[in-house]
Amino acid sequence: MEQPDFRSMSFYQIWIRSFCDGNGDGIGDLYGVYDKLDYIKSLGVDAVWFSPIYPSPNADYGYDVSDYENVHPDYGDLEQFRRVLDRAHALGLKVILDLVINHTSDEHPWFLESRRGGEGPYRDYYFWRDPRKGKKGKRPNNWTSQFTGPAWEYDEGRGQYYLHLFAKKQPDLNMDNPKVREEIKSVMRFWLDMGVDGFREDVITFISKHEKLPNGIPWLPVINGMPYYKDGPNLLRYLREFRAVALEYGAIQIGEAPMTGVKEALRYVAGEDRVLDMVIQFDHMTADCFYTEFLHHPFSLRKLKRAFSRWQYGLAGKAWNALYLENHDHPRVVSRYGSERYLRQSATALAAAYLFQQGCPFIYQGQELGMTNVRLPSIEEYLDVASHNLYRMFRHVSPEEKRLLRVQRSSRDSARTPMQWTKGPNAGFSRGKPWFAVNENYREINAEAEEADPDSVLNFYRRALALRKGNEALLRGEYREYEPQSRTLYMYERRGETQRILVVCSFSDRAQTYSLPPDYPAEAGELLLGNCPEGGRAGSLLPWEAQVLRWR
Ligand code: GLC
Ligand code: CA
């Protein structure tokens, strides 16, 4: 089957637990999603990506799947999912699901069987290894988990260690076992047969491990084994097998690829025989940190722009970018790269900075409202396993208050507070008691208030997405960056057949002037979109002003 024209599309990501609670038990669900599909459609997006909705013990909030072919009872059931799918399709929205296949939950029946050992069919579904005699801890190798601590857990029953690149409750599947790959294909078919339009594939570049599982770099925490499991030896082959299934249905595949660079990415996403349509890369998510938000440094606009341009130039004419600034794994972008003081302007300037690049925009729930980080008063109130592990890891380095500050700034829980719909009780998210803290700024930042305000962040997103959609230069034009050395503005061009568009974004709390590139006469520029009603003059910018200007 033919693939849809995914290149013109934009995507809205739902992290269901915090999106909208339809039945009043305090947990977001598919009833709530159903009611909000019109809202999603009104943004001007073309597709919805659901973070996992499957049954899960929630050790990693859905990314530990215990049944691939069902819906978590907290969220509804398969019937309700079908209703959501049909309604989304009727509205012209595609639906893609998260395919989490690097690991399962330790409560998945495959793992329960596998840990019993013996000669059963599930014996080699995971990475089981004997303890290493005489070595400290006796673990099979020195790899650490992405969530800190050793990547191996001893299982008494089987008398062996199993590998988990993430939490203990997320054992890695042994993709080298052809039976496991057949299982994955049948999971894909299950959803594709139902009418799902594609997948976002979780840490997909980790699924092929180096055969010998050699020791990693001993002094490097968290990612020491990475050279032996990232972009591994059989990755392309396995992805090609999955691709064949997806293509039977014309399905879209977007792969999450942590720490993958342009060169590696092109192996997956370039050309007609590509194995993925886009990758979710992480380069631009480290403009204020090293590798993870927990290793913070002051925000550097130049680092951000270098990352943007590296991918824009690197994929030009060869492949298509996935554009994003937020998802469920990162704190809120206004609080990181923007300015909470200039909330409205910086949220919209950030939008302009990425939505008009070449690629498909992804918008994470609440980002379109300018939702900010939450600052919970104690570590106990945070729920994310990765945040707790990092908090513990820093215990020898810094005192409690400092570690809490670190969590407040860096935790992915900031992206997981309930969606702010109204200024009413619980931000309109639930008529029950929300499962997680609501950000106290919901009285000012909420969809209802922004709906009524033409200059809101929400309405800016709508205008921006509509503009992109109807404009050939913004969809397919060539990207070029200007003023790369500037520490206060980001300027890029999209050059189409009949027009040139210049996007200029201030990243500063102060007003500034700028020079237009040589062949851009100021008087001929036409303002297509701006975020400051009092601004809009080519050559000067108010604090956090964004201008989208056109020359014919
Ligand atoms: C991906 C997910 C993240 C999860 C991890 C392990 O990075 O986006 O939420 O914790 O994989 O599944
Ligand atoms: Ca509910």
Side-chain angles (χ1 to χ4, degrees):
M1 230 166 90
E2 185 109 347
Q3 265 194 321
D5 169 28
F6 69 87
R7 293 178 181 83
S8 65
M9 285 166 53
S10 41
F11 295 73
Y12 188 78
Q13 183 192 349
I14 293 184
W15 197 79
I16 192 166
R17 211 171 176 76
S18 288
F19 186 64
C20 181
D21 175 18
N23 64 2
D25 66 356
I27 299 173
D29 52 41
L30 288 167
Y31 313 102
V33 170
Y34 188 92
D35 292 341
K36 296 296 182 188
L37 284 171
D38 288 303
Y39 167 82
I40 295 171
K41 176 70 185 175
S42 81
L43 300 174
V45 297
D46 309 279
V48 178
W49 149 29
F50 281 95
S51 272
I53 56 171
Y54 319 105
S56 161
N58 280 333
D60 187 19
Y61 286 105
Y63 285 90
D64 47 324
V65 180
S66 54
D67 180 356
Y68 285 109
E69 299 185 354
N70 216 330
V71 167
H72 195 302
D74 282 353
Y75 308 142
D77 53 20
L78 281 170
E79 258 329 290
Q80 183 59 19
F81 178 72
R82 276 197 199 94
R83 267 180 230 123
V84 167
L85 184 64
D86 290 347
R87 173 84 187 130
H89 284 163
L91 289 169
L93 294 168
K94 306 264 181 232
V95 172
I96 68 172
L97 293 184
D98 222 302
L99 191 66
V100 188
I101 57 170
N102 177 67
H103 43 266
T104 66
S105 162
D106 65 345
E107 297 179 33
H108 193 289
W110 301 340
F111 190 75
L112 298 179
E113 282 298 319
S114 192
R115 75 174 355 159
R116 293 185 1 191
E119 289 306 314
Y122 297 97
R123 192 191 153 74
D124 296 322
Y125 267 44
Y126 297 85
F127 289 92
W128 292 102
R129 292 293 183 276
D130 290 329
R132 256 194 312 179
K133 301 261 158 47
K135 293 267 163 71
K136 193 179 155 219
K138 301 202 178 127
R139 294 187 187 93
N141 72 20
N142 69 357
W143 293 4
T144 41
S145 141
Q146 292 268 315
F147 290 167
T148 78
W152 294 93
E153 184 70 10
Y154 188 70
D155 185 77
E156 294 290 342
R158 192 160 153 156
Q160 285 187 307
Y161 281 95
Y162 67 84
L163 176 70
H164 62 90
L165 294 182
F166 294 89
K168 273 182 208 146
K169 284 183 68 63
Q170 293 169 296
D172 280 52
L173 277 168
N174 174 14
M175 211 54 78
D176 302 325
N177 181 345
K179 281 193 274 178
V180 172
R181 302 202 297 279
E182 289 313 311
E183 299 270 17
I184 303 304
K185 290 177 216 169
S186 101
V187 169
M188 291 173 76
R189 286 183 197 284
F190 176 84
W191 295 105
L192 294 171
D193 283 335
M194 198 183 295
V196 162
D197 302 286
F199 300 104
R200 175 267 189 191
E201 304 182 359
D202 191 60
V203 289
I204 197 69
T205 45
F206 290 5
I207 62 171
S208 164
K209 278 82 175 169
H210 193 288
E211 195 189 356
K212 300 213 163 71
L213 308 179
N215 274 329
I217 306 156
W219 48 265
L220 195 67
V222 181
I223 54 169
N224 71 336
M226 218 180 221
Y228 303 109
Y229 59 75
K230 185 177 81 77
D231 305 299
N234 295 310
L235 179 58
L236 265 178
R237 186 154 70 81
Y238 300 162
L239 290 180
R240 207 165 283 129
E241 286 183 26
F242 302 147
R243 183 68 170 173
V245 176
L247 286 186
E248 284 172 36
Y249 298 82
I252 307 164
Q253 291 176 291
I254 303 147
E256 189 199 22
M259 293 191 91
T260 286
V262 168
K263 225 172 102 201
E264 292 149 319
L266 284 172
R267 295 171 54 210
Y268 314 128
V269 294
E272 283 305 305
D273 61 348
R274 61 185 178 274
V275 291
L276 293 168
D277 296 307
M278 290 176 268
V279 292
I280 297 178
Q281 52 84 18
F282 283 56
D283 260 4
H284 62 288
M285 297 312 282
T286 55
D288 62 355
C289 61
F290 303 101
Y291 177 65
T292 137
E293 283 89 354
F294 277 80
L295 302 174
H296 182 263
H297 65 59
F299 171 67
S300 160
L301 177 61
R302 293 209 291 182
K303 195 174 172 195
L304 178 67
K305 296 194 296 181
R306 276 200 300 277
F308 279 159
S309 289
R310 190 178 310 129
W311 284 84
Q312 288 291 304
Y313 292 129
L315 266 51
K318 299 185 188 131
W320 209 248
N321 281 285
L323 310 168
Y324 74 97
L325 289 177
E326 281 191 16
N327 60 38
H328 63 292
D329 286 333
H330 303 281
R332 294 288 182 177
V333 73
V334 189
S335 306
R336 299 179 64 177
Y337 297 176
S339 157
E340 289 185 10
R341 193 170 143 221
Y342 288 93
L343 185 101
R344 174 190 302 223
Q345 293 91 331
S346 70
T348 47
L350 284 161
Y354 92 105
L355 290 176
F356 300 122
Q357 294 182 28
Q358 183 263 36
C360 292
F362 285 70
I363 296 147
Y364 178 66
Q365 66 187 42
Q367 178 188 339
E368 79 279 20
L369 306 176
M371 278 177 65
T372 66
N373 281 356
V374 69
R375 287 171 191 92
L376 300 175
S378 79
I379 183 68
E380 284 74 41
E381 292 189 46
Y382 285 87
L383 299 173
D384 166 39
V385 54
S387 307
H388 276 271
N389 290 0
L390 282 151
Y391 180 84
R392 229 171 294 128
M393 187 175 99
F394 284 106
R395 71 188 175 278
H396 301 304
V397 194
S398 45
E400 218 172 286
E401 333 71 90
K402 278 228 170 110
R403 281 186 287 146
L404 181 61
L405 279 176
R406 210 187 270 269
V407 170
Q408 289 172 337
R409 177 163 56 208
S410 315
S411 173
R412 19 180 219 176
D413 274 343
S414 273
R416 299 175 178 191
T417 61
M419 176 79 175
Q420 293 164 207
W421 293 106
T422 70
K423 63 176 189 318
N426 305 323
F429 161 72
S430 170
R431 37 179 214 283
K433 182 177 172 339
W435 74 281
F436 190 39
V438 176
N439 192 320
E440 56 193 24
N441 62 19
Y442 71 91
R443 283 183 204 83
E444 294 80 54
I445 304 175
N446 65 69
E448 190 181 47
E450 297 195 27
E451 198 72 63
D453 174 358
D455 296 325
S456 64
V457 179
L458 174 61
N459 282 316
F460 184 88
Y461 266 91
R462 286 182 172 138
R463 283 197 292 275
L465 288 171
L467 176 62
R468 170 186 180 274
K469 188 150 222 174
N471 186 293
E472 55 87 25
L474 293 176
L475 285 176
R476 277 172 296 274
E478 212 176 300
Y479 169 97
R480 176 165 167 193
E481 186 188 352
Y482 291 98
E483 305 288 349
Q485 300 307 325
S486 168
R487 292 172 202 276
T488 52
L489 69 84
Y490 174 41
M491 188 192 309
Y492 62 98
E493 168 192 85
R494 298 297 306 280
R495 184 180 285 259
E497 305 272 314
T498 59
Q499 54 184 320
R500 292 169 302 159
I501 292 183
L502 208 56
V503 182
V504 195
C505 305
S506 159
F507 276 73
S508 169
D509 286 359
R510 300 216 185 107
Q512 60 183 309
T513 57
Y514 66 89
S515 324
L516 287 162
D519 47 345
Y520 281 86
E523 60 296 344
E526 170 196 355
L527 184 74
L528 296 182
L529 180 68
N531 66 346
C532 291
E534 339 62 78
R537 267 187 315 279
S540 67
L541 291 171
L542 295 167
W544 293 96
E545 182 176 353
Q547 302 172 347
V548 182
L549 299 154
R550 168 159 69 188
W551 279 261
R552 295 248 188 212

